[in-house]
Coordinates of all heavy atoms in Angstrom, one line a residue:
V1291 N -8.9 5.5 -9.6 CA -8.6 6.8 -8.9 C -8.5 7.9 -9.9 O -7.6 7.9 -10.8 CB -7.4 6.7 -8.0 CG1 -7.2 8.0 -7.2 CG2 -7.5 5.5 -7.0
A1292 N -9.3 8.9 -9.8 CA -9.3 10.1 -10.7 C -8.5 11.2 -10.0 O -8.8 11.6 -8.9 CB -10.7 10.6 -11.1
L1293 N -7.4 11.7 -10.7 CA -6.6 12.7 -10.1 C -6.6 14.0 -11.0 O -7.2 13.9 -12.1 CB -5.1 12.2 -10.1 CG -4.9 10.9 -9.3 CD1 -3.5 10.4 -9.6 CD2 -5.1 11.2 -7.8
P1294 N -6.1 15.1 -10.5 CA -6.1 16.3 -11.3 C -5.3 16.1 -12.6 O -4.5 15.2 -12.7 CB -5.5 17.4 -10.4 CG -5.7 16.8 -9.0 CD -5.6 15.3 -9.2
A1295 N -5.4 17.1 -13.5 CA -4.6 17.1 -14.8 C -4.9 15.9 -15.6 O -4.0 15.4 -16.3 CB -3.1 17.2 -14.5
D1296 N -6.1 15.4 -15.6 CA -6.5 14.2 -16.5 C -5.7 13.0 -16.2 O -5.4 12.2 -17.1 CB -6.4 14.6 -18.0 CG -7.4 15.6 -18.4 OD1 -8.5 15.6 -17.8 OD2 -7.1 16.4 -19.3
F1297 N -5.3 12.8 -15.0 CA -4.6 11.6 -14.5 C -5.6 10.6 -14.0 O -6.6 11.0 -13.3 CB -3.6 11.9 -13.4 CG -2.2 12.2 -13.9 CD1 -1.6 13.4 -13.7 CD2 -1.5 11.2 -14.6 CE1 -0.4 13.7 -14.2 CE2 -0.2 11.5 -15.1 CZ 0.4 12.8 -14.8
E1298 N -5.4 9.3 -14.2 CA -6.3 8.3 -13.6 C -5.4 7.1 -13.3 O -4.6 6.7 -14.1 CB -7.4 7.9 -14.5 CG -8.4 6.9 -13.9 CD -9.5 6.6 -14.8 OE1 -9.7 7.3 -15.8 OE2 -10.2 5.6 -14.5
L1299 N -5.6 6.5 -12.1 CA -5.0 5.3 -11.7 C -6.0 4.1 -11.8 O -7.1 4.2 -11.3 CB -4.4 5.4 -10.3 CG -3.3 6.3 -10.0 CD1 -2.9 6.4 -8.6 CD2 -2.0 6.0 -10.8
Q1300 N -5.5 3.0 -12.5 CA -6.4 1.9 -12.5 C -5.6 0.7 -11.9 O -4.5 0.4 -12.4 CB -6.7 1.5 -14.0 CG -7.6 2.6 -14.7 CD -8.0 2.2 -16.1 OE1 -7.4 1.3 -16.7 NE2 -8.9 2.9 -16.7
S1301 N -6.2 0.0 -11.0 CA -5.5 -1.1 -10.4 C -6.3 -2.4 -10.6 O -7.5 -2.4 -10.7 CB -5.3 -0.9 -8.9 OG -6.6 -0.9 -8.2
H1302 N -5.5 -3.5 -10.8 CA -6.2 -4.8 -11.0 C -6.6 -5.4 -9.7 O -6.1 -4.9 -8.6 CB -5.2 -5.8 -11.7 CG -4.7 -5.2 -13.0 ND1 -5.5 -4.7 -14.0 CD2 -3.4 -5.2 -13.5 CE1 -4.8 -4.3 -15.0 NE2 -3.5 -4.6 -14.8
P1303 N -7.5 -6.4 -9.7 CA -7.8 -7.0 -8.4 C -6.6 -7.5 -7.6 O -5.6 -8.0 -8.3 CB -8.7 -8.2 -8.8 CG -9.3 -7.8 -10.1 CD -8.2 -6.9 -10.8
S1304 N -6.5 -7.3 -6.3 CA -5.3 -7.6 -5.6 C -5.7 -8.2 -4.2 O -6.8 -8.0 -3.7 CB -4.5 -6.4 -5.3 OG -5.2 -5.4 -4.7
V1305 N -4.8 -8.9 -3.6 CA -5.0 -9.6 -2.3 C -3.8 -9.1 -1.4 O -2.7 -9.1 -1.8 CB -5.0 -11.1 -2.4 CG1 -5.2 -11.7 -1.0 CG2 -6.1 -11.5 -3.3
W1306 N -4.2 -8.7 -0.2 CA -3.2 -8.2 0.8 C -3.3 -8.9 2.1 O -4.5 -9.2 2.6 CB -3.4 -6.7 1.0 CG -3.4 -5.8 -0.2 CD1 -4.4 -5.8 -1.2 CD2 -2.4 -5.0 -0.6 NE1 -4.0 -4.9 -2.2 CE2 -2.8 -4.4 -1.9 CE3 -1.1 -4.6 -0.1 CZ2 -2.0 -3.4 -2.5 CZ3 -0.4 -3.7 -0.8 CH2 -0.8 -3.1 -2.0
D1307 N -2.2 -9.2 2.8 CA -2.2 -9.7 4.1 C -1.9 -8.6 5.1 O -0.9 -7.8 4.9 CB -1.2 -10.8 4.3 CG -1.7 -12.2 3.9 OD1 -2.9 -12.2 3.6 OD2 -1.0 -13.1 3.8
I1308 N -2.7 -8.5 6.2 CA -2.5 -7.5 7.2 C -2.0 -8.1 8.5 O -2.6 -9.0 9.0 CB -3.8 -6.7 7.5 CG1 -4.3 -6.1 6.2 CG2 -3.6 -5.7 8.6 CD1 -5.6 -5.3 6.4
D1309 N -0.8 -7.6 8.9 CA -0.2 -8.2 10.2 C -0.6 -7.3 11.3 O -0.7 -6.1 11.2 CB 1.3 -8.2 10.0 CG 2.0 -8.9 11.2 OD1 1.9 -8.4 12.3 OD2 2.6 -10.0 10.9
P1310 N -1.0 -7.9 12.5 CA -1.4 -7.0 13.6 C -0.3 -6.0 14.0 O -0.6 -5.0 14.7 CB -1.6 -8.1 14.8 CG -1.9 -9.4 14.0 CD -1.1 -9.3 12.8
A1311 N 1.0 -6.3 13.7 CA 2.1 -5.4 14.1 C 2.0 -4.1 13.2 O 2.7 -3.2 13.6 CB 3.4 -6.1 13.9
G1312 N 1.2 -4.1 12.1 CA 1.1 -2.9 11.4 C 1.7 -2.9 10.0 O 1.9 -1.9 9.4
S1313 N 1.8 -4.1 9.4 CA 2.3 -4.2 8.0 C 1.3 -4.7 7.1 O 0.5 -5.6 7.5 CB 3.6 -5.1 8.0 OG 3.3 -6.4 8.3
I1314 N 1.3 -4.3 5.9 CA 0.4 -4.7 4.8 C 1.3 -5.2 3.7 O 2.1 -4.5 3.2 CB -0.5 -3.6 4.3 CG1 -1.3 -3.0 5.5 CG2 -1.5 -4.1 3.3 CD1 -2.2 -1.8 5.1
V1315 N 1.1 -6.5 3.3 CA 1.9 -7.1 2.3 C 1.1 -7.5 1.1 O 0.0 -8.2 1.2 CB 2.7 -8.3 2.8 CG1 3.6 -9.0 1.8 CG2 3.5 -8.0 4.1
L1316 N 1.5 -7.1 -0.1 CA 0.8 -7.5 -1.3 C 1.1 -9.0 -1.7 O 2.3 -9.4 -1.7 CB 1.3 -6.6 -2.5 CG 0.7 -6.9 -3.9 CD1 -0.8 -6.7 -3.9 CD2 1.4 -6.1 -5.0
I1317 N 0.1 -9.8 -1.8 CA 0.2 -11.2 -2.1 C -0.1 -11.5 -3.6 O 0.5 -12.4 -4.2 CB -0.8 -12.0 -1.2 CG1 -0.4 -11.7 0.3 CG2 -0.7 -13.5 -1.5 CD1 1.0 -12.1 0.7
S1318 N -1.1 -10.9 -4.2 CA -1.5 -11.2 -5.5 C -2.0 -9.9 -6.1 O -2.6 -9.0 -5.4 CB -2.6 -12.2 -5.5 OG -3.2 -12.5 -6.8
P1319 N -1.9 -9.7 -7.5 CA -1.5 -10.6 -8.5 C 0.1 -10.8 -8.6 O 0.5 -11.6 -9.3 CB -2.0 -10.0 -9.8 CG -2.0 -8.5 -9.5 CD -2.3 -8.4 -8.0
V1320 N 0.8 -9.9 -7.9 CA 2.3 -10.0 -7.9 C 2.7 -9.7 -6.5 O 1.9 -9.3 -5.6 CB 2.9 -9.0 -8.9 CG1 2.6 -9.3 -10.3 CG2 2.5 -7.5 -8.5
Q1321 N 4.0 -10.0 -6.2 CA 4.5 -9.7 -4.9 C 5.6 -8.6 -5.1 O 6.1 -8.4 -6.2 CB 5.1 -10.9 -4.3 CG 4.0 -12.0 -4.0 CD 4.5 -13.2 -3.3 OE1 5.7 -13.3 -3.0 NE2 3.6 -14.2 -3.0
G1322 N 6.0 -8.0 -4.0 CA 7.1 -7.1 -4.0 C 6.8 -5.7 -3.5 O 7.5 -4.7 -3.6
L1323 N 5.6 -5.6 -2.7 CA 5.2 -4.3 -2.2 C 4.8 -4.5 -0.7 O 4.0 -5.4 -0.4 CB 4.1 -3.7 -3.0 CG 3.5 -2.4 -2.5 CD1 4.7 -1.3 -2.6 CD2 2.3 -1.9 -3.3
T1324 N 5.4 -3.7 0.2 CA 5.1 -3.8 1.6 C 4.8 -2.4 2.2 O 5.6 -1.5 1.9 CB 6.2 -4.5 2.4 OG1 6.4 -5.8 1.9 CG2 5.8 -4.6 3.9
V1325 N 3.8 -2.3 2.9 CA 3.5 -1.0 3.6 C 3.5 -1.2 5.1 O 2.8 -2.1 5.6 CB 2.1 -0.4 3.2 CG1 1.8 0.9 3.9 CG2 2.0 -0.3 1.7
T1326 N 4.3 -0.5 5.8 CA 4.5 -0.7 7.3 C 4.1 0.6 8.0 O 4.6 1.7 7.6 CB 5.9 -1.1 7.6 OG1 6.2 -2.3 6.9 CG2 6.0 -1.4 9.1
A1327 N 3.3 0.5 9.0 CA 2.9 1.6 9.8 C 3.4 1.4 11.3 O 3.2 0.3 11.8 CB 1.4 1.9 9.8
A1328 N 3.9 2.4 11.9 CA 4.4 2.3 13.2 C 4.3 3.7 13.9 O 4.2 4.7 13.3 CB 5.9 1.8 13.2
T1329 N 4.3 3.6 15.3 CA 4.4 4.8 16.1 C 5.7 4.9 16.8 O 6.1 4.0 17.5 CB 3.2 4.8 17.1 OG1 2.0 4.7 16.4 CG2 3.2 6.1 17.9
T1330 N 6.4 6.0 16.5 CA 7.8 6.2 17.1 C 7.8 7.5 17.9 O 6.8 8.2 18.0 CB 8.8 6.3 16.0 OG1 8.6 7.5 15.2 CG2 8.7 5.1 15.0
S1331 N 9.0 7.8 18.4 CA 9.1 9.1 19.1 C 8.9 10.3 18.2 O 8.7 11.4 18.7 CB 10.5 9.1 19.7 OG 11.5 9.0 18.7
K1332 N 9.0 10.1 16.9 CA 8.8 11.2 16.0 C 7.4 11.3 15.5 O 7.1 12.1 14.7 CB 9.7 11.0 14.8 CG 11.2 11.0 15.1 CD 12.1 10.9 13.8 CE 13.6 10.9 14.2 NZ 14.4 10.8 12.9
G1333 N 6.5 10.4 16.0 CA 5.1 10.4 15.6 C 4.8 9.2 14.8 O 5.4 8.1 15.0
N1334 N 3.8 9.3 14.0 CA 3.4 8.2 13.1 C 4.4 8.1 11.9 O 4.8 9.1 11.4 CB 2.0 8.4 12.6 CG 0.9 8.5 13.7 OD1 1.1 7.7 14.7 ND2 0.0 9.3 13.6
E1335 N 4.7 6.8 11.6 CA 5.6 6.6 10.5 C 5.0 5.6 9.6 O 4.6 4.5 10.0 CB 7.0 6.1 11.1 CG 8.0 5.9 10.0 CD 9.3 5.4 10.6 OE1 10.0 6.3 11.3 OE2 9.6 4.2 10.5
I1336 N 5.1 5.9 8.3 CA 4.6 4.9 7.2 C 5.7 4.7 6.3 O 6.3 5.7 5.8 CB 3.4 5.5 6.5 CG1 2.2 5.7 7.5 CG2 3.0 4.6 5.4 CD1 1.0 6.3 6.9
T1337 N 6.0 3.5 6.0 CA 7.1 3.1 5.0 C 6.6 2.3 3.9 O 5.9 1.3 4.2 CB 8.3 2.4 5.7 OG1 8.8 3.2 6.8 CG2 9.4 2.1 4.8
V1338 N 6.9 2.6 2.7 CA 6.4 1.8 1.5 C 7.7 1.3 0.8 O 8.6 2.1 0.5 CB 5.6 2.7 0.5 CG1 5.2 1.8 -0.7 CG2 4.4 3.3 1.2

């Protein structure tokens, strides 16, 4: 990912599990990251 100000993000190959309820969980190469999407009274909500 190329960003402004000469920033660049490089990610290693990864594996993610997607739950129908709206969560994405990192499985490989490491664990410890979860992304959850939901619809609430306040609108769309994303939690990392």
Side-chain angles (χ1 to χ4, degrees):
V1291 182
L1293 302 170
D1296 291 327
F1297 271 116
E1298 182 180 349
L1299 293 175
Q1300 294 181 348
S1301 67
H1302 303 316
S1304 58
V1305 179
W1306 305 74
D1307 274 353
I1308 301 179
D1309 189 292
S1313 65
I1314 304 176
V1315 181
L1316 178 64
I1317 301 300
S1318 175
V1320 293
Q1321 297 182 1
L1323 182 61
T1324 302
V1325 181
T1326 304
T1329 301
T1330 68
S1331 59
K1332 297 180 179 180
N1334 297 321
E1335 182 179 287
I1336 298 177
T1337 304
V1338 180

